[in-house]
Amino acid sequence: METSIYSVIAFYALAITILGNAALVVFARNIVHSVLFLAITFISMAGLFLLLDADFIAAIQVLVYAGAVCIMVVFGIMLIQRPDMKDTNLFNTQLIAGTGVVALVFALCAILAGRTAWTDLVATQAVPENTIQVIGALLMSKYVIPFEVVAILLLVALIGAIVIARDESSAIAVDEGVKANAHD
Amino acid sequence: MFGKGLVKGMQITWKEFWAPKATIQYPEHQNPIPDRFHGRFVLDLNNCIACGMCANACPNKVISLRKQKVGTKQFLTNYVMNIQYCMFCGLCVESCPKDALHFSKVINMNQYFYNNIPLVLVQREAPAEPVEKEKPAAKPTSQPKADKSAPTAKSEVAASKASDKEGE
Amino acid sequence: MSDWAGVFIFFVVALIFGAGGIATSFLIQPRRDTPLKLEPYECGMPTQGPTWIQFRTSYFLYALLFVIFDVETIYLYAWAVKFQSLGLFAFIEMLIFVFILIVGLWYAWKEGALEWQ
Amino acid sequence: MIRTQEYNLNFGPQHPSTHGVFRLLLTLDGERVVKAEPICGYLHRGIEKLAESRTYTQIIPYTDRMDYLAAMLQNWGYVMAVEKLMGVEVPEKAEYMRVISGELSRLASHLIAIGTYSLDIGAFTGFLLAFRERETTMDLLEELTGSRMTLSFARIGGVAADAPEGWLDKVDKFMDKLPDCIDEYDGLITGNEIFQARTRDVGVLKPETAINYSISGPTLRGSGVDYDLRKAKPYGIYDRFDFEVPLGKNGDCFDRFDCRMREMRQIIRIVKQAIEQIKEIDGPVIAKVPKVLKPPKGDAYEEIETSKGIIGYYVVSDGSTKPYRVHVRRPSFINLGYLDEMLRGYLVADVVAILGSIDIMLGEVDC
Amino acid sequence: MAVNKGKQIETAQKDIWAPEYFGDNPDYNCPPELKRLIHLAPVEKVLNLARAHSIWPLGFGLACCAIEGLMAAQGPRYDLSRFGYEVLRNTARQADVMMVAGTITTKAADFVVRLWEQMSEPKWCIAIGGCAISGGPFVDSYHVVPGVNKLIPVDVYVPGCPPRPEAVIEGFLMLRAKILDNREYLENFKGRVVTG
Amino acid sequence: MFENLFVGIADGLRSLLGGLPLEINEAIVMLVKLVAILVFILVNALWLVYMERKVAGYMQARIGPNRVGPKGLLQTSADIGKLICKEIIIHKDTDKVVFMLAPVLVFVPTLMVFAVIPFGKNMAAIDMNIGLLYLLAIASLSTVIFWMAGWASNNKYSLLGSMRSVAQMVSYELPMVLAILGVIMITGSLKMSDIIAAQEHTWFIFTQPIAFLIFFIASVSECNRAPFDLIEAESELVNGFNTEYSGMAFAMFYLAEYANMLVCCAMVTILFLGGWLAPFGLDFIPSWLWFFIKMYVVMFVIMQLRWTYPRIRVDQLMGFGWKVLVPLSLANIFVTGIGMYIYRAIGW
Amino acid sequence: MLTISLTHYVVLSALLFSIGLFGVITKRNAVAVLICIEIMLNAVNINLVAFSKYITPMDFTGQIFSLFVITVAAAEVGIGLAIIIAIYRNKLSVNLDDFDWLKW
Ligand code: SF4
Ligand code: SF4
Ligand code: SF4
């Protein structure tokens, strides 16, 4: 239970930043702007993690999400972007249906969250200071199997992405297409 | 071995770092300018006979001179070099039969205004009487108007055009 | 906790510094817009064609490799700080972990994903 | 590989590494060049046309302004053509003066070529160090001719002036010092692994292609074709000197660069021999030619080897004081002919390397 | 551009001694931009001090004069960097002074103007060499613009063909004096006619 | 004597403000530290630009700035003064907000990184537990900002330059991060003060020479210095990602570049050269002075590199990063691990 | 409301998740959908870390889980983008409305 006035302010400020930017991600018309808002969302999320005494996760959030994933998405966009697409991030036809579904999901979540007696579960200890040490130790002992699986997962992702992304067979056909497209 | 060239390069720059510098601090010091340097023109008025050879030799009609007959001699009233057109090639200096035109060692001809760029080497009025003791053949009756109004030199075409016919 | 408050102060001041510099500049700079000035600069010529160029896959592959290895380094960091006290077993485990990823690097190399196109 | 959309990129005219106002319209696929369209003419000053309204002597300063880095060589080519037209015999001493000042000009040009090339590749220091030696060369030329760059030194029938007192010794001394400087560039630029990695196997020009495209100068010799007019058809008094023609092997950028580098050492040899020989010669530096030149009707073509390649002057006379037509075969322009194909398939960074290695001079390209 | 037959020169130059420059003229309609500058005037003195000592040229060479005026002046012997003027910017956006060094042909005139326009204020122009000043040796040519002052305003003229690097440095110093509004220095040049 | 100068000032300030609530007290002390760091960065950046030009001049047989102020020391101040009052052009095709945001933001990661750098004994503004990781995380953000600048300019040169720079920074961040790992394995902590303390006896440059080399090369590349300065690649891409920027916006990038250099040199010093530790027991010189001396030695080497080497081509750059540095840094981890086991077997 | 309890985090997470979900359902651009999935995963992360702090502060299970989530998310974006690039290559479009050849 955080009681310090500063953490309360921090929480609300961060929450507003996160939600606002997440909304902007969805509503921005230009996909590049979406990505930039996404980066801000990620960074403020790291702030939230700091509030939760998870400094290691926060650093990783910035390192991986803001520093790496955003870059990759940006590269992906630059790869597939047509120059004529200024409005690259439009809504599709399921806008109304989507809103309905989302409202439903949120209502469900809210109800469930409200009905759970969180206070019973809350433990009283504080989080240890040096999280990274503990996490390192845990990873090497209790979570060894997931840890190795992560390696496999990354390997598979790497190989899979390379196989998918580079594809020579269709290059010629696309070539024509691109050229035809380039002139209009 | 890879990296030898890299180390060598570092050595050279390191050596250069301590080596004496080639810079000459210009406004205070200056490298001596050689005698033949093609700098600003000077005209030795005593020698010049206003023959117009220099204007003729110039590829770009830079020199415009006005002369006036005073007695038997040609009197130079106006000698303007539009050095904005000049190539500093030295053909004019070479062609001068009397060695009147020279290059000086002055390098700085900079100006803020276009109108000031031409070099006015001579600007004077012709004397009413011939200076020499010889008998004046015919005293010029009308004083030709000397251009005294503007201090800036008007670029003059007449003289160079007149002297251009040799080439045709 | 207070550490991070300090970081936040750093962030705010850095932002103020950046914005302040630019804002001052906007206050005192002369401005005159001409149509030519407002065109993109391309070596003194009007730009030809769209300026949003399309890039090649190699860029993406580099980014992909980077992401994968960046994630890997997280685990490596968590392990490295505990390396001295964890013992041989953890070391070997990490060797396996790294080895699996080296396989990935080797594959990328072999497939030419490391070639600049 | 996915073919991305091709796009055009203006490379120049205001670009740090086009060596003047030259424009390359690159069609790029990613960073690879698909097509390169050289667009020149930004410096077309109509020298050939202007020459028709100047007398024969008056044209000399204009030739300076074509390849302004090696002005003497341009003068030389022109006056040789006129001399041939008029049948003037050039005095011995003038020939030597021409050789010395011409080779110094060539040296200045090569120094700029290697300097700017290293600048293109990204080594700034090489550029400025090359300029240091160029300043000395300029000093020498200035002492001789009165101008630093645009010399206008050659005259029809000889040269404008004899060497001033002690000048030859100064040149000699400079030539003694120069090998050390060249060693320094070698260490700094040629020997550098990064530089070699940048330039080797880039922009390969096959000997046959080079000949077919009529390429000349160090660009040609970098491909291993042994053709230097000074050796192949010795004009002037070049048959009296003992020197080598440096050749490349692969015809890539590095070879072309290295050719210039080694050519500088040959310049030292030539100048040293010329100084030795000129000391024994006495006489005028200009033949007796009439003040007003009126060559007989006819035409003449003379070509010499400049720092960029073979420059040829074609002068047609109609018997008046002014030439009927002057045409110049400009090596830089002709060397550019193969540029498009040479660039294809290379990266943008290589464009700079290749363009720099041809060592074009825009004043000459556009004339 | 028409062939400059008679070499009649109409100059398009800034006359900094014109009365409207000082705002003495009551009829003179002061643009808002100028008004803003008037408020800034005290600051401007300091800023001019900074401007005058950090004139970054646009790395822009056209012909022969570029070798002497740009390269040799940057070179070890003359070393413009002593004054802090060596930072050659490759993009017009960051440059302060455009050194027009070389012949401007009609084909090039277009982009010279474009480059000049694309430079950010405040900016100056130095015309180096005969060609840039007036078309120089090629003034008769059918393809040469007779002088850069037909296209853009020029602050300092450096005649020569090519001028020595020293003269180029001198030109920079003149520009510095102009920016600093060094009256004594400037008066020296007002109506100055060089006589032999 | 001067050893405790800065720490003393901070303590004095703290006790001076003793009456205030703790948070405010801390905040004010932090602010003072921050301003000190900001001034430090700016002064250093100005000095570095000057030094760069001087060093360049001296290596090129000329003398560099010497007219403005004593010995030309005010040259860079004049430059900045001029850049402030220069027009910022926002041309019509730009994405205006992003275009102006990039120069505002470009200083942020750099300054934030300085929070954890110990300039001397007990002289880090914040000595946090995950200091190194924090530094890496924040530093990785600058890639996005460079990309923003390039993309928003809507100029082919800028876009090409920024894409290149991002690809480059991304590729070299990895070997850099992996090289640090060797150090962390020995120290077992991400805290800056622990890392320096672990070098009490031997600097890590001796125990981790490969890591040092990799880190050095990678950090030269990270701050886009020659021979890896493709980002600006003057002779190819005009000015790279900042082609369209003028005036103060450009100055921000310019300053940030040098501030980044400062960070890199500081990192090399901290990780491999023993930070503020005095070598050979020469501890009459205050620790912070040692830190500067070491930092500037590294700086000089980086500058000399720039003025010596040509620029390497983009494909070679990428190849070098991925095919040489990454495998090498992975190998370094193995070697360090095995070496430590051997060392422990023998030593203890 | 001057204390921050677990509920706050859960609600925040739910809101974020909903925004992400909304984006996934309604966006037309495939990359945008991918981005929104990232947001959803992040929402989950908030929960995990919050639980970790409030419920099992000594176990770190939540934190380690979120570590894995981050890993998976990174891998997912990589693969996702690769797939989009591959599809783009065939269809020259990233518009999800065009990706209907699975339906025929
Ligand atoms: S050629 Fe000589 S003497 Fe004749 S006008 Fe010219 S300067 Fe005078
Ligand atoms: S130097 Fe040449 S261009 Fe100049 S005035 Fe003399 S002859 Fe004419
Ligand atoms: S003034 Fe002379 S040197 Fe300068 S560009 Fe013109 S012709 Fe060349």
Side-chain angles (χ1 to χ4, degrees), chain E residues 117-174:
Chain E
E117 290 283 340
Q118 291 191 337
M119 278 166 70
S120 56
E121 301 278 340
K123 55 192 172 187
W124 296 275
C125 171
I126 302 182
I128 291 173
C131 287
I133 296 172
S134 67
F138 307 101
V139 67
D140 306 351
S141 173
Y142 54 89
H143 199 242
V144 170
V145 177
V148 69
N149 56 12
K150 303 278 183 299
L151 305 171
I152 59 181
V154 178
D155 291 279
V156 176
Y157 296 90
V158 183
C161 187
R164 268 178 80 102
E166 277 112 332
V168 176
I169 295 177
E170 204 66 60
F172 268 97
L173 297 184
M174 280 170 73

Side-chain angles (χ1 to χ4, degrees), chain C residues 5-54:
Chain C
V7 169
F8 181 71
I9 295 177
F10 264 79
F11 171 73
V12 171
V13 171
L15 212 61
I16 291 172
F17 173 77
I22 302 281
T24 326
S25 169
F26 264 108
L27 273 181
I28 58 176
Q29 67 181 235
R31 257 188 312 278
R32 197 181 321 131
D33 289 344
T34 57
L36 277 180
K37 190 185 266 180
L38 293 181
E39 279 187 16
Y41 171 85
E42 194 173 318
C43 283
M45 281 286 140
T47 37
Q48 301 227 339
T51 41
W52 197 341
I53 20 182
Q54 210 184 352

Side-chain angles (χ1 to χ4, degrees), chain A residues 9 29 44 47 65 75 87 97 102 112 118-119 141 150 154 158 176 184:
Chain A
I9 295 173
R29 289 180 74 80
S44 30
Y65 272 127
F75 276 28
D87 299 331
V102 168
L112 285 179
W118 297 110
T119 29
S141 50
V150 160
L154 289 176
L158 182 63
E176 306 305 313
D184 56 37

Side-chain angles (χ1 to χ4, degrees), chain F residues 159-207:
Chain F
L159 191 55
L160 264 175
S162 70
M163 286 295 277
R164 264 191 190 188
S165 75
V166 170
Q168 172 190 351
M169 290 169 95
V170 150
S171 305
Y172 278 78
E173 197 171 314
L174 206 56
M176 186 159 143
V177 171
L178 290 174
I180 298 175
L181 219 55
V183 172
I184 295 174
M185 282 162 75
I186 300 177
T187 51
S189 167
L190 294 174
K191 212 171 175 161
M192 293 287 182
S193 48
D194 290 351
I195 292 172
I196 292 174
Q199 303 181 55
E200 193 71 65
H201 304 294
T202 31
W203 293 357
F204 286 147
I205 184 172
F206 301 116
T207 45

